[in-house]
Amino acid sequence: MIIAVINQKGGVGKTTTTLNLGAALAREGQRVLLADLDLQRDLTAYEAAFEESGKHPDIRFASTNAQALPALLDEASDNYALLDCPPGLGDEVVAALRVADVALVPVAAEFPAVRGLARVLDLVAALRRCDNRELRLHLLVTMLDGRSPHGQTVLETLRELPSQIARCHVYETVVGRSLLFARAAAEEQSIFDFAPSSSGAAAYRDVARELLALAAPQHEAKAEVSARADTAKKTKTAGGSTP
Ligand SMILES: Nc1ncnc2c1ncn2[C@@H]1O[C@H](COP(=O)(O)OP(=O)(O)OP(=O)(O)O)[C@@H](O)[C@H]1O
Ligand SMILES: [Mg+2]
């Protein structure tokens, strides 16, 4: 399954979600490709520390761009590919949405974030019309501050969307605001390695489980990212035991 992590707005938790959801999926037994489409290379910054730790045999990193992405995915045999996109809705985002099964949009629980969402939804709708009819839309609330009145309003606004938009899922799990994410990032660690018993770790574990439950039926038909590459070897494994 290919998941494009997108939002027009910067600093909403795209890279944090890519990294920690990827780590959570690996903890659930999945092989994960983390692909960095952002020239800031914030995701790639974790690569050396992850490899040196020896704790993440099921996670691999790739730095790529819009042109190189299709070839990277054709060669991939991971269960999940997470594509960390730059802010904005430029070439990298369009390239990611063209090949993705899911557009995953982290939405920071603040008012401007919800306002900016309309353009993201328009782009997803346009891609569905032209290029990728099956593209699903997943929305994940991040940086929720339980004390802020805005947070609840954002949640309520988002939870109305699935009744208005086809193939749209709003995660039951929300990711709260926590300084531990920035501290984990400074140490180039996932939240699971940095603060395993934190509420942030529990949140990304639950997001991964929700995603796996949603993905289960379709995995029978398309077991791996590589199912997109039409080779005899991959045809053999597609009906196998991969969940
Ligand atoms: N749930 C959270 N609570 C508090 N801080 C968070 C949370 N998630 C991420 N952060 C922090 O917010 C900042 C922005 O997060 P991140 O880099 O993931 O956003 P982004 O959307 O990828 O940004 P950009 O658009 O620049 O690529 C980082 O310092 C990160 O550690
Ligand atoms: Mg980022």
Side-chain angles (χ1 to χ4, degrees), residues 11 13-16 38 40 42-43 84-87:
K14 294 182 292 296
T15 302
T16 304
D38 186 351
Q40 294 181 100
D42 288 341
L43 182 65
D84 185 30
C85 293

Side-chain angles (χ1 to χ4, degrees), residues 51 78 107 128 135 146 162 171 196 199 201 232 238:
E51 281 176 7
D78 316 84
V107 181
R128 282 176 171 180
L135 181 62
Y171 283 88
S199 58

Side-chain angles (χ1 to χ4, degrees), residues 159-180:
R159 293 224 156 109
E160 284 168 12
L161 291 177
S163 63
Q164 300 159 17
I165 302 173
R167 298 189 297 290
C168 174
H169 176 74
V170 180
Y171 283 88
E172 287 295 323
T173 309
V174 299
V175 181
R177 185 173 283 282
S178 163
L179 284 175
L180 291 172

Side-chain angles (χ1 to χ4, degrees), residues 55-177:
K55 289 185 194 163
H56 304 286
D58 292 328
I59 299 178
R60 64 189 187 100
F61 288 78
S63 304
T64 188
N65 57 39
Q67 290 73 36
L69 182 63
L72 172 71
L73 295 174
D74 274 351
E75 287 163 12
S77 61
D78 316 84
N79 304 111
Y80 284 84
L82 275 63
L83 316 179
D84 185 30
C85 293
L89 300 173
D91 291 350
E92 273 68 30
V93 175
V94 172
L97 290 178
R98 285 211 160 111
V99 295
D101 300 292
V102 175
L104 171 57
V105 186
V107 181
E110 301 156 352
F111 247 120
V114 177
R115 256 194 245 132
L117 197 58
R119 291 190 56 202
V120 178
L121 301 184
D122 286 348
L123 180 63
V124 168
L127 261 292
R128 282 176 171 180
R129 278 197 302 276
C130 302
D131 252 28
N132 185 353
R133 287 176 203 290
E134 299 303 313
L135 181 62
R136 276 166 282 154
L137 174 65
H138 287 188
L139 300 161
L140 173 67
V141 173
T142 62
M143 304 185 184
L144 181 72
D145 180 347
R147 288 160 305 182
S148 150
H150 289 327
Q152 214 47 44
T153 316
V154 169
L155 263 179
E156 283 164 19
T157 308
L158 292 191
R159 293 224 156 109
E160 284 168 12
L161 291 177
S163 63
Q164 300 159 17
I165 302 173
R167 298 189 297 290
C168 174
H169 176 74
V170 180
Y171 283 88
E172 287 295 323
T173 309
V174 299
V175 181
R177 185 173 283 282

